[in-house]
Amino acid sequence: MKQVCISEFMDPDAVAVLDKCVQLRYEPTWVDQRDVLLKSLANVDALIVRNRTQVNAELLDAAPALKVVGRLGVGLDNIDVKACEARGIRVIPATGANARSVAEYVVTSALMLMRGAYLSHAEMVAGKWPRARLSEGHEAFGRTLGLIGFGDIGRLTARLAAALGMQVVAHDPMLPADHPAWAENNVKPLALDALLATADAVSLHVPLVPATRHLINAERIRGMKRGAVLINTARGGVVDEAALATALKEGTLAGAALDVFENEPLSAGGVLADAPNLVLTPHIGGVSHEANVRVSMMIADAVRDALGV
Ligand code: NAD
């Protein structure tokens, strides 16, 4: 019987699907017990991870029988894909399965940040009534959303934003200008600098690769429209957090929503701690109940197919 190990949370129904046809270790705490995980992989045919298990040469050396890595989500920055390929190991992400959850998170954040609606909670519970200061927020209708990266999540976000009457522009140098996705979604392709200068809300949807590390740095933030807002659900490393904190303190940007961080979990007292107009969430853009079920079922089925069980 094939052996499968799951080292991070997976929906119980999908775990049950696998449990019927393979010898299964479902050990979601092993992501934090690296030694135990590595010692348990000797005969494992497939490993299923989310974004925290580092699938690197050290892990692959400990798993000589490994044939498949299932990734419960998208973004392969925790997986050494080249090392897997070199060993003939298939890497299977849950392409598109959590895109809707991320897209809804982005639109929620854009509305909240442009309106400034989130800014009153601390003052309100302290007995203040900051109505005058918060009366200058903006409607989304007619404003411009700029998407950097126009793949599954970018495209779905564009459709949701269009329903609110937003104009949508996007930058994606990998996508040719005649690709049908532009016209189908009524989105205008723009060069990065032009997008930054135009957008009232900028949202990031690129993978974290060397070319996108600190793509949003001090210089690019200076190129953004004054008073724009930034939303990052991609990966923390895409934004220079210190440069963002400075821009928020100086008021160059009106606000930011960050779901992902250069170091996760975020520690107390870092560069973002005293930045104003900032909404932080703990990497939950893609992990609603519905997305968890879709992602888990997709990977359970794909791993079964790949193992032929
Ligand atoms: P995708 O592969 O469908 O799309 C990524 C797009 O980025 C592609 O179209 C690609 O051409 C483009 N791209 C690559 N390099 C670029 C660059 N330098 N500039 C502009 N565009 C570039 O991926 P997706 O499903 O849309 O997901 C995007 C990213 O979102 C993932 O890589 C992952 O890191 C992140 N993500 C986060 C969460 C979360 O919970 N916060 C959930 C899902 C995905």
Side-chain angles (χ1 to χ4, degrees):
M1 210 176 195
K2 300 283 188 201
Q3 291 192 22
V4 176
C5 175
I6 307 168
S7 64
E8 296 185 60
F9 170 77
M10 190 173 188
D11 180 72
D13 289 346
V15 173
V17 165
L18 285 168
D19 201 27
K20 287 196 184 107
C21 49
V22 299
Q23 192 181 325
L24 189 66
R25 294 296 308 256
Y26 176 53
E27 304 288 352
T29 60
W30 279 2
V31 61
D32 294 314
Q33 299 171 65
R34 182 84 175 170
D35 288 352
V36 180
L37 174 66
L38 294 188
K39 279 190 198 125
S40 311
L41 295 177
N43 300 309
V44 160
D45 298 284
L47 173 66
I48 298 179
V49 303
R50 293 188 91 86
N51 66 317
R52 292 183 53 229
T53 305
Q54 296 303 316
V55 182
N56 53 17
E58 175 197 42
L59 184 146
L60 298 178
D61 285 345
L66 197 63
K67 293 162 198 71
V68 184
V69 176
R71 162 76 172 93
L72 295 162
V74 287
L76 297 176
D77 41 290
N78 59 318
I79 299 175
D80 187 337
V81 177
K82 281 203 180 119
C84 289
E85 273 168 16
R87 297 171 197 230
I89 297 168
R90 275 186 67 189
V91 176
I92 308 178
T95 304
N98 58 11
R100 184 163 296 277
S101 287
V102 181
E104 289 186 5
Y105 174 104
V106 172
V107 170
T108 306
S109 301
L111 291 171
M112 191 170 65
L113 292 167
M114 289 192 296
R115 192 69 180 270
Y118 63 93
L119 292 169
S120 53
H121 179 84
E123 288 166 274
M124 298 284 294
V125 294
K128 293 187 182 145
W129 192 255
R131 189 170 187 230
R133 183 170 59 75
L134 294 178
S135 302
E136 294 296 317
H138 296 281
E139 294 178 346
F141 186 87
R143 292 174 73 82
T144 300
L145 174 66
L147 304 168
I148 302 182
F150 195 51
D152 287 316
I153 297 171
R155 292 173 207 182
L156 198 45
T157 303
R159 294 203 283 278
L160 299 186
L164 295 168
M166 296 189 82
Q167 309 293 320
V168 186
V169 296
H171 169 71
D172 193 324
M174 278 37 143
L175 213 58
D178 58 357
H179 193 285
W182 298 111
E184 276 167 16
N185 295 289
N186 197 24
V187 169
K188 187 175 163 191
L190 281 185
L192 183 55
D193 290 353
L195 179 145
L196 294 173
T198 309
D200 300 293
V202 172
S203 187
L204 308 176
H205 302 292
V206 292
L208 178 61
V209 291
T212 59
R213 183 167 289 282
H214 285 193
L215 185 71
I216 300 301
N217 56 19
E219 192 188 336
R220 296 246 164 73
I221 292 173
R222 269 197 299 279
M224 287 174 70
K225 198 168 171 177
R226 200 174 165 85
V229 301
L230 177 72
I231 301 154
N232 187 13
T233 57
R235 284 292 178 267
V238 179
V239 174
D240 179 341
E241 289 173 353
L244 173 63
T246 302
L248 290 169
K249 284 180 202 161
E250 290 174 349
T252 329
L253 296 185
L258 303 181
D259 184 48
V260 286
F261 304 91
E262 295 208 61
N263 293 306
E264 297 182 10
L266 191 64
S267 345
V271 289
L272 297 169
D274 57 350
N277 304 335
L278 184 58
V279 180
L280 307 180
T281 51
H283 202 143
I284 45 103
V287 293
S288 64
H289 172 75
E290 290 78 8
N292 281 335
V293 171
R294 274 195 305 271
V295 160
S296 297
M297 282 300 181
M298 182 190 269
I299 293 302
D301 289 345
V303 167
R304 282 179 57 196
D305 279 357
L307 294 179
V309 295

